Amino acid sequence: MSQVIDLCANSLRNLTLKTKLLNIKPTIAASETKYAALGIKASLYLHPTCKDINGQVSADEMKDLYQNTFVKSNKTRHLYDSIKKSSPNDICPFCGQRTVSTVDHYLPKSIYADLTITPLNLLPSCADCNFSKRAVTALAPQDQTLHPYFDDADSDQWLFAKLEETTPAALTFFVRCPAHWDQIKQSRTESHFKTFKLAQLYASNSANELNNMRFHLQKLFAADVSGQLIKLHLEDMAETYAANYKNSWQGASYEALSASNWFHTGGFN
Ligand SMILES: [Zn+2]
């Protein structure tokens, strides 16, 4: 943390701000330590808010420092880029779907000035997820969205889909956490799902996928009107997606489709 502050300070031409920034270094470092301790305990909602740091540097000054120095200076740009690039295949860790295009402050910089340039608080994100989270500040443990650096929610399946037997067929998505998860983790996963509007995103994607697969399923149905070939194909796809990522909307979709006799025997049309 102190290296980040030094790099930012060395990029500043404003000597007053540079001095103030170096003065508050211990406070920012202490906030980072507290953040790490609370993150491990899934209790970041308890982090004290901070509108200015030691009465010396305001939230607005920190915001300027972030936007005009941390993000842009050639001394610190590599830090910003490495955070942005830290998600596998550039997939947004919040929705698991869209491409990373920005960096999100898990605790917002407007009210946590002391965490504005703290790497642990900076997460790769797509623009939509960044926007969805903007207005949300958790006041209770169950309201916190999942934090990709601290929370492991993907060792188990929690995302499921339900098939609506309509014409055309449609899928709706919901959260069903494993029973061995504690209540807070279960509620947080629900909050995450709601905050990032994942039900809408996945329903839209899956409607498109259902259109794309129709021609293939019609061919399988022509070869076997019992629907058994279709069932096997859908099971295979569900397993394939689940082997890579347990909570993909595709995995949940194929799992729901493979379980429906109605779908195998013509519901796909
Ligand atoms: Zn996203």
Side-chain angles (χ1 to χ4, degrees):
M1 187 68 244
S2 80
Q3 193 207 354
V4 177
I5 299 166
D6 287 340
L7 289 171
C8 286
N10 287 337
S11 305
L12 287 172
R13 289 206 190 100
N14 178 337
L15 291 181
T16 311
L17 184 58
K18 182 174 177 169
T19 306
K20 287 197 292 180
L21 187 62
L22 292 172
N23 285 343
I24 60 167
K25 209 159 102 172
T27 305
I28 296 184
S31 295
E32 183 195 38
T33 305
K34 184 186 277 269
Y35 186 95
L38 290 171
I40 290 165
K41 290 188 283 184
S43 299
L44 281 169
Y45 75 102
L46 292 174
H47 204 287
T49 56
C50 171
K51 291 277 197 180
D52 68 79
I53 307 168
N54 297 353
Q56 293 205 48
V57 181
S58 69
D60 282 345
E61 283 176 305
M62 287 304 290
K63 193 175 149 196
D64 269 0
L65 180 76
Y66 174 77
Q67 285 170 345
N68 297 318
T69 303
F70 184 79
V71 175
K72 290 184 184 158
S73 160
N74 57 16
K75 293 191 175 69
T76 51
R77 177 78 199 185
H78 69 283
L79 296 169
Y80 176 81
D81 286 340
S82 73
I83 291 164
K84 214 171 141 190
K85 285 266 161 227
S86 63
S87 193
N89 300 321
D90 285 335
I91 297 296
C92 170
F94 296 111
C95 60
Q97 175 61 36
R98 292 178 290 239
T99 308
V100 169
S101 59
T102 185
V103 165
D104 175 63
H105 288 77
Y106 183 82
L107 294 183
K109 54 187 178 302
S110 55
I111 49 172
Y112 297 90
D114 51 344
L115 299 169
T116 302
I117 53 168
T118 302
L120 274 180
N121 191 42
L122 302 176
L123 303 165
S125 172
C126 72
D128 286 307
C129 285
N130 190 313
F131 185 79
S132 297
K133 203 167 121 312
R134 198 158 289 185
V136 182
T137 307
L139 298 174
Q142 66 273 13
D143 299 335
Q144 305 174 98
T145 56
L146 299 168
H147 191 308
Y149 299 160
F150 294 111
D151 301 307
D152 173 23
D154 289 324
S155 303
D156 297 294
Q157 185 180 359
W158 53 262
L159 179 69
F160 291 86
K162 180 177 179 290
L163 176 66
E164 308 295 340
E165 296 184 357
T166 49
T167 307
L171 290 158
T172 53
F173 291 81
F174 62 95
V175 173
R176 189 173 68 219
C177 294
H180 68 268
W181 283 16
D182 65 60
Q183 196 50 54
I184 300 250
K185 188 173 178 181
Q186 296 196 29
S187 304
R188 287 185 64 198
T189 307
E190 290 273 5
S191 294
H192 189 95
F193 188 72
K194 276 197 202 109
T195 300
F196 295 110
K197 302 180 173 67
L198 300 184
Q200 295 92 317
L201 172 66
Y202 298 163
S204 158
N205 287 345
S206 67
N208 194 40
E209 182 84 354
L210 282 162
N211 281 337
N212 287 334
M213 74 174 77
R214 190 166 296 119
F215 179 73
H216 182 206
L217 298 187
Q218 284 167 346
K219 272 175 48 175
L220 292 178
F221 191 67
D224 173 13
V225 291
S226 77
Q228 198 57 25
L229 259 185
I230 290 179
K231 183 178 193 295
L232 290 173
H233 164 69
L234 296 170
E235 284 172 350
D236 201 35
M237 293 296 282
E239 266 187 73
T240 301
Y241 277 105
N244 180 46
Y245 176 42
K246 286 193 170 75
N247 293 301
S248 70
W249 63 265
Q250 295 98 326
S253 300
Y254 280 106
E255 183 183 50
L257 299 177
S258 70
S260 167
N261 195 46
W262 171 84
F263 187 76
H264 311 151
T265 53
F268 58 85
N269 276 308

